[in-house]
Amino acid sequence: MALGLVTAGESHGPALVAIVTGLPAGLELAKEAIDADLRRRQQGYGRSPRQQLESDEVEVLAGLRRGRTLGTPLALVVRNRDHANWTWGMSPWQTDDEPTGKGAKAVSLPRPGHADLAGVLKYGHGDVRDALERASARHTAVHVAAGSVAKTLLRELGIDVAGRAVEIGGETSDDGMREATDAARKDRDTLGGVVEVVATGVPPGFGSYAEKGDRLDARLAFALMGIQAVKGVEVGDGFALARRRGTEAHDEIDPGLHRRTNRAGGLEAGVSNGEPIVVRAAMKPLPTLMRPLDSVDLASGEAAQALVERSDVQAVEALAVVAESAVAFELARAALEKLGGDSLDDVRAAHRQYLERISAQWQPR
Ligand SMILES: Cc1cc2nc3c(=O)[nH]c(=O)nc-3n(C[C@H](O)[C@H](O)[C@H](O)COP(=O)(O)O)c2cc1C
C-alpha cells in the first residue's frame, strides 16, 4: 500500500488530525522527536505571539503500540490550545448559549492574497471565517508531525532531510534577514522569502520517468506547491539553468559514477541520481497585514479595509520546517515504492539488496 496522508482541522477548532497509511510495521517512533519538530515549526524570528501561546504536542490515537508502528493507519492529533478562547465561535455543534469569545462575530472583510473571497464565493459561506479557518497554515502542524514520522523511516535507510531559510525579504545573510524582519514589523508590513530543502543519502533510482505522475521532481514540486503561500519551486539550479549553455548546465560523470557538480539537484528524468536532492520554494509575503489593503465589506458592499487579525511578520523559517516535512513525506513514499514491505525489516532487506546489486557500478560517497 502506498504511503498516504489525510488531514483535518481548523485553525481555532478543537484539534488538528492526520491519518498516515501505508507505514511498515516495526518502525520505532519517539514522541520527543515529533514534538521537537513541532516546536521548530513554531519558532522563527517573525512569528506572532500565538506561537508562544501554544506549545504544540503530538498525541497518537491509533497505529502505534509501545512506540512501534503496527503497519496499520497511524492517527496523529495536535490540539489547538487556543481553542479555549473560541469555544462558542468554533463549536462544532449548534448550541443555545449566548455568543461569546472569539469568532462570535462574523467576518466580512476579505484579505487580498488569502482564501477569504474565493472561499466564500466557492462555498457560499456567509462568514469569511468559514473559509479562512481551514485555509490558514495552522494545520501544517499535523503535516509536520507526519513528516517527522517520515524522517524517522528515512533515517533507517540512511537518508537525512533538512530545510532552512536561505532568503527573507530579499536578504540572504542572517543579520540581513533579521534587520529586514525588524524593519517590516516596524512598518506593520509582511515579508516573504526562499527556503531550501536538501536530502542526503538518497540512492539512485527513486522515482521514475515512466509517467509524469511518477517523476520525483514533479512530485516534490507538487508537495511544495501544496503548502500555503508557496508561489514558486526550483529543482537544483532551476530557473538559472534557463540562462546557461548546455556545457555549463549539466553534471559531468566521474569514474565511480559520481558528479563534479550538482546543478540538477540530484534528479535527472524524474529519478534520483545519487547526489543530494536540492529543492527550493519561494514564499510570498503574508497576506494578513496590520496596515490592511483595500477591500470590500461583503455585508454592505461598501469599500472597506481588509480584516486585521493577529499574524506573523514573516514565516519563512516555519516554512523551512513545513517544506522539509513535505519533502520527507514524498521521499518516504518514493522509498517505499522502491523498497516497500510490510515490516521495517523487509524494507531494510530490500534496501541492502538493492545497494548490493548496483554496488559494482555505484557506491555511496
Ligand atoms: C508556516 C506558514 C505560516 C503562515 N502564517 C501566516 C500568517 O500568520 N498570516 C497570514 O496571513 N498568512 C500566513 N501564511 C500564509 C497563508 O496561509 C496563505 O497565504 C493563504 O492561505 C493563501 O494561500 P496562498 O498564499 O497559497 O494563495 C502562512 C503560511 C505558512 C506556510
Side-chain angles (χ1 to χ4, degrees), residues 47 111 113-114 135-137 227-229 231 283-284 286-288 311-312 315 318-319:
R47 307 308 303 284
R111 292 160 295 175
H114 219 299
S136 147
I227 304 170
Q228 290 87 341
K231 296 297 139 190
M283 184 183 212
K284 75 183 188 185
L286 304 178
T288 307
S311 183
D312 302 335
L319 175 66

Side-chain angles (χ1 to χ4, degrees), residues 41 46-48 51 111 113-116 132 134-138 140 190 225-231 283-289 309-320 322:
R41 192 197 71 94
R47 307 308 303 284
S48 83
Q51 309 307 329
R111 292 160 295 175
H114 219 299
D116 305 357
L132 70 86
R134 176 62 181 173
S136 147
R138 168 67 190 149
T140 57
T190 60
M225 192 58 98
I227 304 170
Q228 290 87 341
V230 170
K231 296 297 139 190
M283 184 183 212
K284 75 183 188 185
L286 304 178
T288 307
L289 292 163
E309 191 165 86
R310 186 181 53 206
S311 183
D312 302 335
V313 175
Q314 53 87 0
V316 185
E317 293 120 309
L319 175 66
V322 178

Side-chain angles (χ1 to χ4, degrees), residues 72-104:
T72 50
L74 178 72
L76 306 170
V77 171
V78 176
R79 305 243 170 229
N80 287 322
R81 288 173 205 257
D82 197 21
H83 179 65
N85 300 310
W86 296 74
T87 47
W88 191 94
M90 288 305 293
S91 165
W93 300 110
Q94 183 63 282
T95 61
D96 295 332
D97 316 342
E98 283 297 305
T100 175
K102 294 186 177 173

